[in-house]
Every structure is written in structure tokens, then in C-alpha cells.
Amino acid sequence: MGSRARNTLVLLVAVAAVALPAPAARAAQVTQDLRFTASDGVSLHAAVGGEGSLAPRPLIVEFSPYAPACCVSYAGPDYNYVQVHIRGTGRSDGGFDTLGERTQSDVAEFLEWACAQPWSDGRIGLYGASASAIAVYHSLHRELPCVETAVLWAGTHELYRDLLYAGGVPNVGPAAGVAALILGMYAGGLPDRLQRDPASVPENLNGAVGTVTGYLGHPTIDSYWRERQVRGDANDLPILMVTGFFDVESRGPFEAFRELRGDGAHLMVIGAHDGVPAGTGGEAGERRRWYDRHLRGIANGIEDEPRVKLWLADGDREDLLAGSFVRADGDDWPIPGTGWEALALGPGGSLGLDPPEASTTQAYPALPSLPFSTDPHTTATLFGFGTPEFSGNALANAFPALTEMGIVESLGLSFSTEPLREDVLSAGPASLELRLASTAPETDIYAVLSDVWPDGSAHPVATGRLRSSFPEIDPARSLTDPETGAIVQPYGRFERKTPAAPGQERLYHVEFWPVGNRFKRGHRLRLHVIGASAYHLPGVPAINTVRVGGPGGSRLLLPVLPGSDLGAALP
């Protein structure tokens, strides 16, 4: 380009810059504290935020027990954001009821009130993250006035199965973490409470005690837990559900999607508590587009995109967070065309497609295992706190033995495939059919699936858990492989315990939470059967014996995405 042309171009750009109007200045963020009185007389704290004068706009409403500051991240020129402190938490009165019937009534009553306020235009979208997502899931069976959509990040479909009693095993690590967060925020609001209504404090404390006794006092599924699960959707809401394969409550959104997909649900498996892959931005962009479509009527086409979007690990969790992942999409969960390959456990630690003819038993001690390694779901949440330079994830990268299986696998049993001859994409629920006997009437069956790299390091990618006093499953609610009829996602019966006699061998169906990993060429799959993670409340120490090989021997049912061929990949 000649100098005259360059000068002309510069002049045109300068003229255009002068001619274009300057971007409109953003109005200042405005927040307003609110008090709402529920039908039983309990006063709840809330706050509304928006830009400028809090003009009528669509509302995004969150019901949170964690009481974070409201509302800069979500309020703006297009939406007002409302955050409600759940009763018994933050600055709200009453007793916390673990998101039970009373909290569910609060949700419906507050929404009816908020819809008619001057800062509302009559359209409401719900938002939830973890506990605030659970509050919405628990309330969907009620009529929720003015609500047109929701975005729910993590959360549970059944609070018992998906977080607090995974496989019937008390999951006390996450439970204690949730309690600490709630109590910490409650303590922050205590001065305000004492000044405003000191008589409310005893009820708050009773609610806190009731939460602990409610959790530990209901070790089986009963009416207490049936109040704390999805019970249909009376509102037919299109919901964007977000989770990650390593999330501490990853199972919940998968199961919620399966139940509510007829209402237009989408499932985005990009990460939640477990962190999001570097460079992706997580769900933020999709969340905004979802609200724009369903609350403002903007035709952005999001409803026509694949209903299930997956970000799979490419060998382990740490590399996934660093931005090494594999994408897969579909219109249902499990992805249509998924097949399940049966891998037989064999003598000598083999894991293969051909069951060994000979049957034998192998024993291991049922002792608490190193939780950083054997429970990647809880570890992902725990290690996610802090800055990138000073966090558990940074620690895991600096000292990989902490989260790999090398330190712990000698205390259990290991079964490995031969190195793969080609890549295999695995995404879906998995099941372990395990024939096991124990010296104790009740023991915890704990299984870890690892991706074994060519250097021999084993990286956990999925976990299965079951307390042996719950051997029964509900076939009608279990997921079966349409090709073989095998149960690939067992739906356990946790209504009553059935201990085994010491030494009695029984068949157990152990549910793995969804797997999402590419096992690369040259890598191996390894199944570890080991003592329960120390994040859990363990059973009594015992010696467990597993039967491998022979007719009806133990086997792993692994999901394989269409386009992958495990049979061709294994020698």
C-alpha cells in the first residue's frame, strides 16, 4: 500500500471515530435491602440490585443459604437481581430446615410477592448455584408464580443419593463443608439479628441443631428425604442445568435432565464446583443467552442447539482444568448410540472383554483410603479454593502423587486392561457388578476407575460407592443397555438395611457417577476396589473378599460413545 493510500485510510478511520457516538455510560449499581414476611410470620431478608433507578425489569431470583453480597455479577441494564436469604441463614429469621417443606413454601410465597413489586416487569427467571439450585429443584412441584425459566448450577436431584449418602455411605466431608459455609454466613449476620430481633436467635439455633440430627438421624430413605428431592415440575420450566464430571454433586443435574427434558431442559457439562477448563469461560455466556431467550424473547437460537454439551477429560482432572479436553454433544443423556462394554475382572489383576474360565477370590482390607486420590469429586471442590497459584489444584500439579492412585492402590485390588490400540471416548453412567463377602455384616464397597498413562501413573476419573447393607436395586428405575439388557445404572434401594452374615457372598450393583474421559491410545483402564475415602464416615474395619473369573464373575460395565470401539482398541 502506498503512502497516499495509507494516509487516506488513517484519515477515514479518524473521521469515523469522531462521527460514531461514544458508548453510553453505564448507570451506577443500585441495591436495596428488603424484608419479606412469610405466611407463618417469619421475616426473611432479601436484596434487589439493578442499574439506575431499579426500573421494572425481568427478575433473576436466587434463594441462598450462603448469603453472599448482592448482586453485581447478575444485575444490570436488562435484569434486576434478587437474592433471598433462606430462613434460618444469613439475616433471615426462622429455623433452617435443610431445604424442606417450609423453605419450599417460602420460595413460592416470595416469588408471588416479588412479581408484583415496582422493580419487576412480571417475568422471573430463577438462578441457583449448589444449595440455591437444590432449593429450586426441591420446589419445582409447587406452582411458582411468574417464573418462566431457570439456570441451575450443580445441585441435586435427590439430596440423599447425590450428596449426603452416596451409595448409602455417609458423605460427611461435603456435609461438614456445607454446614461450615452456612454457619459462617450466619455468624456474619448475627449482629444485625441481635439488634433487630434477638428473640429470633433460639429458633435459628434449633434449626441448626435439627439439620445435623436430621442428616445423621435418617441413614435410610424415608419421608424426610422424599421431601428433599425433585418431585416433578408443575411449571414446565425450560431449565439450563450445569455440572461437571468431577463435581461434588455431579449426579444430580444428569438425573434432573433425564426427568425434566420434556420441558425443554438443556444439560451443560463444563464444570461447576470442580472448576472449568481454562479458556472456556464456563457457563456464563450460555447462561446469559438462556435468560435472554426465555425472559426477553430474543431469538438467539439457543433452544435449537444440542441439548447435551459435554466437556470430557483427556486423561485426568488437572489437565482438563488446564484446557485439555474433548468435546461431545448430543440431544439426550446418555448420548444416543452409547454402548456398554462388559470388562471382566480376572485373576492376577486382569480386566478384559473375555471372562477368564477359572474362578478365584482375592481379599483386601476395608480401611479408610487417602481421600485426595480416591474421591476426585470432593477433592475437586476442596482443591478449587484459592488463587491459581495458591490452591489445591496448584498443589496437585506440584505434587501429583497426592491425587494419583500410586500411594493407595497397594491397599486394595487393582484390575487393568492391556494398553489401548486406539482412543476410546467414554461418557455415561457405569456399573460394577461385584461378588463380595466380608468379615463384617456391613462394609463399604468403594471402586475407582483410573486412566493409566504410559508412564504407569494412574489418574482417577470416576468413583462408585455402595454400603453393603443395601444390596437391593429397583429394576424398574434402573437404566439398562438397550442392546444387552444389562443394568448399567443401578437404582439402589435405600429404604432399609439388609446386613450380610459374615463371610456371606452376595452380588452387588455399584453405581458409578457419570464417567467423562478420553482414554488415549497407549493408555490403560484400571479398576481399583479399595477402602472408602476418608471423606466418608467409614464402617467398621473388615477384610473383604471379591470373586473374579468364572461364570457370573465380577465385571465392570463401561459406557462407550458412538464412534469408539473398545473391542478394536483392546488386543
Side-chain angles (χ1 to χ4, degrees):
M1 181 184 293
S3 60
R4 179 177 297 178
R6 280 195 300 270
N7 292 338
T8 301
L9 179 61
V10 170
L11 178 62
L12 290 173
V13 171
V15 169
V18 172
L20 289 174
R26 294 287 296 269
Q29 181 79 31
V30 175
T31 60
Q32 177 183 331
D33 283 346
L34 309 167
R35 299 299 300 186
F36 168 75
T37 302
S39 60
D40 64 349
V42 168
S43 176
L44 306 181
H45 172 82
V48 59
E51 284 192 9
S53 60
L54 291 179
R57 301 184 181 105
L59 301 182
I60 299 174
V61 182
E62 178 182 12
F63 296 86
S64 175
Y66 300 140
C70 187
C71 307
V72 175
S73 298
Y74 304 97
D78 301 319
Y79 300 98
N80 291 331
Y81 190 81
V82 182
Q83 184 187 82
V84 187
H85 294 188
I86 288 171
R87 66 170 52 214
T89 72
R91 295 165 63 185
S92 286
D93 298 343
F96 184 58
D97 71 343
T98 322
L99 312 179
E101 293 281 8
R102 186 56 253 183
T103 294
Q104 296 158 27
S105 295
D106 292 343
V107 169
E109 292 172 13
F110 182 89
L111 291 170
E112 183 176 16
W113 175 81
C115 185
Q117 298 308 301
W119 26 262
S120 167
D121 74 352
R123 294 172 291 174
I124 294 178
L126 299 177
Y127 177 73
S130 194
S132 54
I134 297 172
V136 173
Y137 278 129
H138 286 186
S139 304
L140 289 175
H141 64 287
R142 295 176 178 268
E143 295 287 344
L144 303 178
C146 300
V147 176
E148 298 184 15
T149 190
V151 176
L152 302 180
W153 181 96
T156 64
H157 179 257
E158 297 179 74
L159 187 56
Y160 181 97
R161 295 174 192 269
D162 300 342
L163 181 62
L164 297 180
Y165 281 92
V169 184
N171 204 8
V172 295
V178 169
L181 286 171
I182 293 174
L183 290 174
M185 295 299 181
Y186 172 81
L190 192 57
D192 170 80
R193 186 186 313 281
L194 290 171
Q195 181 178 7
R196 181 178 50 80
D197 185 10
S200 68
V201 173
E203 187 177 4
N204 295 152
L205 296 178
N206 286 337
V209 172
T211 296
V212 175
T213 57
Y215 168 40
L216 296 178
H218 296 271
T220 59
I221 291 181
D222 54 14
S223 60
Y224 179 87
W225 295 113
R226 293 189 188 99
E227 290 179 1
R228 293 161 173 83
Q229 64 181 31
V230 175
R231 289 175 278 174
D233 180 6
N235 311 276
D236 299 329
L237 300 180
I239 302 175
L240 174 61
M241 302 165 182
V242 182
T243 190
F245 283 110
F246 294 96
D247 191 77
V248 70
E249 47 195 17
S250 69
R251 181 184 185 273
F254 287 99
E255 295 308 298
F257 173 80
R258 290 182 61 203
E259 179 171 344
L260 304 177
R261 55 192 165 190
D263 298 335
H266 282 211
L267 176 65
M268 188 179 188
V269 188
I270 195 171
H273 297 93
D274 47 332
V276 301
T280 65
E283 95 294 349
E286 196 118 342
R287 178 184 67 220
R288 179 59 186 247
R289 294 176 63 222
W290 191 265
Y291 284 136
D292 283 348
R293 178 68 187 94
H294 294 288
L295 290 179
R296 299 174 62 208
I298 296 175
N300 54 26
I302 193 169
E303 72 276 18
D304 298 322
E305 295 176 4
R307 298 180 63 186
V308 177
K309 298 180 180 180
L310 308 177
W311 279 254
L312 280 67
D314 199 18
D316 76 348
R317 182 182 68 86
E318 289 78 16
D319 283 0
L320 169 66
L321 291 178
S324 179
F325 56 83
V326 180
R327 289 281 288 108
D329 295 336
D331 284 322
D332 205 350
W333 178 262
I335 298 295
T338 298
W340 281 264
E341 292 285 357
L343 293 168
L345 284 60
S350 66
L351 185 66
L353 296 172
D354 298 321
E357 294 183 3
S359 175
T360 187
T361 59
Q362 296 179 263
Y364 69 97
L367 299 172
S369 60
L370 179 66
F372 299 151
S373 302
T374 56
D375 185 352
H377 301 283
T378 304
T379 296
T381 298
L382 179 65
F383 277 20
F385 288 98
T387 66
E389 297 81 12
F390 301 100
S391 68
N393 288 324
L395 187 66
N397 287 322
F399 302 97
L402 277 177
T403 55
E404 295 171 6
M405 296 296 294
I407 294 175
V408 301
E409 64 181 347
S410 62
L411 296 177
L413 304 177
S414 298
F415 305 88
S416 303
T417 67
E418 295 295 323
L420 299 175
R421 295 185 291 202
E422 59 186 62
D423 293 354
V424 174
L425 287 176
S426 177
S431 173
L432 173 62
E433 296 177 355
L434 195 69
R435 295 193 178 275
L436 178 140
S438 178
T439 57
E442 180 179 84
T443 189
D444 293 330
I445 301 171
Y446 213 84
V448 181
L449 178 64
S450 290
D451 184 319
V452 182
W453 293 12
D455 64 4
S457 59
H459 303 252
V461 295
T463 302
R465 293 161 279 196
L466 181 65
R467 182 151 280 187
S468 67
S469 49
F470 298 108
E472 300 177 7
I473 63 171
D474 183 345
R477 299 192 65 176
S478 298
L479 179 68
T480 58
D481 181 354
E483 294 294 325
T484 66
I487 294 174
V488 295
Q489 185 182 10
Y491 190 85
R493 300 292 302 268
F494 298 108
E495 292 82 4
R496 63 185 181 90
K497 291 189 174 185
T498 309
Q504 178 187 3
E505 184 178 284
R506 299 197 295 196
L507 174 63
Y508 296 96
H509 295 267
V510 183
E511 178 188 8
F512 278 80
W513 284 3
V515 181
N517 187 65
R518 174 167 70 172
F519 296 91
K520 288 183 279 193
R521 181 176 181 271
H523 290 217
R524 291 178 288 159
L525 285 76
R526 180 171 294 165
L527 175 71
H528 312 261
V529 182
I530 197 165
S533 156
Y535 290 137
H536 298 67
L537 185 64
V540 298
I543 300 297
N544 294 343
T545 303
V546 174
R547 181 166 299 280
V548 299
S554 301
R555 63 178 188 167
L556 172 69
L557 295 163
L558 182 77
V560 179
L561 286 181
S564 288
D565 187 344
L566 185 60
L570 287 175

